[in-house]
Amino acid sequence: MHFALVGLNHRTAPVEVRETLAFGPETLLRHLEALSTRPLLREAAILCTCNRTEVYAVTSDPEQTVTELSLFLEEAAAGKKPSRRLSESFYRYRDLQVAQHLFQVAAGIDSMLVGEPQILGQVRDSYDNALKAGTAGAFLSQLMRRGIEVGKRVRSETGIGEGAASISYAAVELSRKIFGELHGKKVLLVGAGEMAELAAKTLASHGARTVFVANRTYDRAVQLAQGFDGVAVRFSEIQGYLGRADIVISSTAAPHPIIDRKMVREAMHARKGRPLFLIDIAVPRDVEPAVHRLEGVYLYNIDDLKSVVAANIEQRSKELGNVESIVAEELSKFAAWMREQETAPVIAAFRRRAEEVRERELLRTLRRLKGLSEDEVRRLEAMTRAIVNKILHSPTAGLRESAHIGNGRMHLDAVARLFGIEALEELVPPRGPEGVSGSGGRPGPDAGREKGGGSR
Amino acid sequence: MNQVQSIFLAVAALGFLTSSGLYAMYFRGQKNDFGFWATVFASGSLVVLTLSLVAGAIELGQLPIGAVSWTVVFFLWVAVCVYLYVENRWRIKVVGSFFLPAVTAGLFLALWLPSRREPLAPILQSPWVAVHVSSMFLGYGTFLLASLSGILYLVQEKEIKSRRLTFMHFRLPSLETLDTLSARLVSWGVLLLGAGLVTGSIWASKVWGSPWSWDPKQTWSLFTWGFYVLFLMMRYGRGWKGRKSAYLTVLGFAAVVFNVLGVTLFMTALHRFS
């Protein structure tokens, strides 16, 4: 049994290529069903996010399957745009490489934004979809469950997902550290700008309630307020709203500060000790820096937020080593499991063969020995069984053990030859050449990775 | 303190030490497993500490507050009860990372403090003593936690003001949580200390013949209580929140400490523990 994977991600393909393979939920299920009809594929799952599309498969022939999956993906995209570049963007993995890749994806270190939290849920969804489509069996389930487990471990045991990695999330996290829950907190948006709007939207999606929108031109404020389901405010009324809003995001094109110390001091008087968080994303700055020295007032400008984000990202990258070691640990557990899956059919086959011999010989002997009592027959039967078990005991144990060492395959071959099991190739097909093919493959960690079940 | 009590006490102290370690690891990595076991160990140690107190109470025939060490142990017991309640209610284990080490240090100190049991003065043999001392200590325990919450507020506030966020910023709860927590605790503390003062007066009127005698201990207790009442008035009436409020909770607890230790040690008072 082997694993195969073909896919592309944000590193191997630009968005105009990725979007040709962005499947909606229904398309995805249809594709899974189509995959399940292919004779080579035993199990399959599709992981599809805005940054990646990957097909995971369980197969008896990984080489053939990788080719087949590439063709499948090209066909899937064909309707949208015939692209020669598509297959150049694919990475192709086999066996343990598949597990390593999935583990890295689930851990969030293959994401565009390292440590982002959504990917784990997306991996879970792809497994659920495969279950729903009936394309997930024992092997794929083991792979997916281990992958999800890696994602969970990484998030609870390392700080890879800690600290906001974007300006708007940094604003949300800071707000949370000041106000606790954001539910019912009011946001005042002064001026419009892409980043300010994004920050306000992010705050709103985390529970912040009313959005007041002020703008130089009132009509524009009204227009913006509609987008936020908020209230338009005249520019001259800002002073009053400083007392009512908890979070102020300012990004006007004004050449001079529009919120000064005096305004904020008066507003703080009305706030009765409730803190005020000012986010000044404008350049030149909208808020007088001296405001920050007032009690209960927290002013962050664009550079402050950027340095918070930079520090967080640095902190995350420090955790990469810990994440890699969890991935490596889980991968070696998974490798052991895979090798056990290899030895299991051989053990079963050669035990079956011994059992056949035993039964045949026992029958032959019993036919010749007439007049044995029932008890004597039972004793003979028990004796032959004991002989077989005792002889097979150490080769069985040896084989089980060989699953955990490098040259296990050699042992398998030897046992097969010694016991005359000829169909070993059928039981355990040989591995294809290992290594990354396709132009889009990731360099680095793949090269020095541990080999799968042993050498050929 | 007899042998059984000392053994229970030592076991409890070791349990709290383990719990402190777990709380520290929880603080470092914010892993829920550590947090869970930290609370389990703290609760288990509290049970053992209770056994130690019960053994002491059986021997003395009343609340074991005769010797200094027992007084400290009883206070710590009350404080841990208050803490575990707050942790469960507010879901903030982070405070425990600071609180449990303090409790552990206190317990080891108690093991070392003189524990000679002196014959109980007849005036201490009244159920009013138990109620009075318990509610005073509950009040002190809540004030201790309030000031701890206040200190953590100041640390977090400094982090956010500095705009250079460190580890502490990410681990500590929000300003709002810490601020509200310490104010709530002060409200409870004022009620408990008030109850302690009233029951103390009832008792005093029985043994001294007058409910109030301007004894230094009484005066300081009333002063402390008045301070906290004023604090609540300023906070809810005039919006003294945030940093001001945090500083006041710390100052208030300093008054409590002086009341418990200073007055007992430096002033001659009618009101003595032993």
Side-chain angles (χ1 to χ4, degrees), chain A residues 41 45 52 76 91 128 231 237 239 261 285 328 332 354 370 379 385 388 399:
Chain A
L41 297 185
R52 68 182 69 244
Y91 38 84
D128 285 345
V231 181
E237 292 172 337
Q239 165 81 67
R261 191 183 148 92
R285 288 173 291 176
S332 79
K370 296 271 153 67
R379 271 163 196 257
R385 215 180 274 282
V388 166
L399 267 184

Side-chain angles (χ1 to χ4, degrees), chain A residues 177 292 294 297-298 300, chain B residues 157 160-161 163 172 174-175:
Chain A
K177 283 293 182 188
H292 188 62
L294 293 169
V297 180
Y298 306 96
Y300 275 65
Chain B
E157 214 265 350
I160 297 176
K161 271 282 189 201
R163 296 169 177 150
L172 291 179
S174 67
L175 293 180

Side-chain angles (χ1 to χ4, degrees), chain B residues 169-246:
Chain B
H169 168 78
F170 296 105
R171 289 294 178 257
L172 291 179
S174 67
L175 293 180
E176 169 71 24
T177 307
L178 291 166
D179 188 48
T180 317
L181 175 62
S182 74
R184 289 273 174 81
L185 285 169
V186 168
S187 315
W188 278 106
V190 162
L191 284 180
L192 291 162
L193 205 65
L197 286 172
V198 170
T199 48
S201 307
I202 295 173
W203 173 43
S205 67
K206 288 191 176 174
V207 293
W208 294 333
S210 127
W212 199 264
S213 36
W214 294 107
D215 167 81
K217 193 103 195 166
Q218 283 181 324
T219 316
W220 261 98
S221 299
L222 187 66
F223 170 79
T224 312
W225 186 76
F227 176 87
Y228 280 116
V229 170
L230 211 65
F231 163 89
L232 290 179
M233 281 163 64
M234 295 314 270
R235 184 184 166 92
Y236 291 109
R238 304 194 51 184
W240 279 26
K241 289 176 118 182
R243 218 156 60 181
K244 237 180 264 172
S245 161

